[in-house]
Amino acid sequence: MTKVAVMFAPGCEEVEGLTIIDVLRRMGIDATMVGLEDTHVPGAHGIELTCDTVMDDHLLDYDLVAFPGGRGGAQKLRDNEQLMALMQKRHAQGKWNAAMCAAPIALARYGLLDNRDYTCFPGFNDEVAKMTTNANFKEDITVVDEEGKIVTSRGPATALAFAYRIAEVLGYKTDEIKHEMLYDYLMEQK
């Protein structure tokens, strides 16, 4: 069974992380909420999140690890040495990793965005540029770098698109869930 971990750090953007968990669980994908430091994580907007587990070496067992944004949470993800080592090992093993909003700054510090296509919340691309070699910023809603096994997205309003892209890179079809959640209707209205 496909397993996805979503990392929750204090100050995370709640809607981004919970959207990934919600969409994947609706699809029957094993999605685990992983706390960076504790199972109880205060979000950026005063929402207390309760995770399933706390980060450890089991992060290597997941098919994909996703980081929601939120400046405070992204900075904590970026600065955690244990997480950096685990994510670098995952990358070396050819596993998928994902980050949205401010969180690509963590992937940049880990070296995972070097020579890769990515996107992020407007303005954080300047921070990413200081930490990477030849990272290629794009303004698309979601960006998949197949070679680097990286999925990125922009911010809270793109959380559904990000969750669907995560499922798609893992080999799942998303037409049915998009229809059930009225995403196809939303896209037709723009």
Side-chain angles (χ1 to χ4, degrees):
M1 173 181 255
T2 302
K3 293 173 42 173
V4 174
V6 180
M7 292 294 311
F8 289 87
C12 66
E13 184 69 59
E14 301 98 334
V15 71
E16 294 173 358
L18 291 175
T19 298
I20 303 163
I21 293 292
D22 180 275
V23 167
L24 298 183
R25 287 183 180 178
R26 283 175 193 243
M27 294 182 70
I29 298 170
D30 183 356
T32 303
M33 293 174 66
V34 180
L36 180 66
E37 305 161 347
D38 195 321
T39 54
H40 296 284
V41 179
H45 302 97
I47 301 170
E48 183 77 21
L49 302 163
T50 303
C51 293
D52 304 307
T53 188
V54 178
M55 178 191 63
D56 62 17
D57 288 351
H58 286 100
L59 215 56
L60 299 172
D61 300 336
Y62 291 91
D63 298 291
L64 184 144
V65 173
F67 292 176
R71 180 185 296 275
Q75 289 169 339
K76 286 180 177 58
L77 296 171
R78 177 195 65 199
D79 298 340
N80 188 291
E81 298 295 325
Q82 179 187 6
L83 180 58
M84 179 168 68
L86 289 169
M87 295 299 284
Q88 288 170 336
K89 280 184 191 174
R90 289 181 50 74
H91 182 69
Q93 293 171 353
K95 295 195 173 187
W96 282 98
N97 297 299
M100 72 176 301
C101 192
I105 64 171
L107 299 185
R109 177 171 181 254
Y110 307 162
L112 275 57
L113 293 184
D114 291 351
N115 302 304
R116 300 287 168 231
D117 292 339
Y118 80 99
T119 194
C120 62
F121 193 85
F124 280 90
N125 48 305
D126 296 332
E127 209 169 317
V128 167
K130 295 175 190 169
M131 294 184 277
T132 59
T133 306
N134 298 321
N136 184 21
F137 174 71
K138 297 184 172 287
E139 292 188 355
D140 299 345
I141 290 172
T142 60
V143 173
V144 174
D145 188 298
E146 293 278 349
E147 190 177 328
K149 300 246 173 143
I150 301 285
V151 183
T152 51
S153 190
R154 305 293 312 258
T158 67
L160 281 172
F162 184 56
Y164 299 140
R165 290 301 285 152
I166 286 170
E168 290 163 2
V169 301
L170 294 172
Y172 290 84
K173 297 206 180 306
T174 58
D175 292 343
E176 187 176 328
I177 190 78
K178 286 177 180 176
H179 182 70
E180 289 171 1
M181 296 182 77
L182 297 184
Y183 186 78
D184 54 356
Y185 170 79
L186 176 67
M187 292 297 98
E188 289 168 5
Q189 301 306 309
K190 46 178 196 171

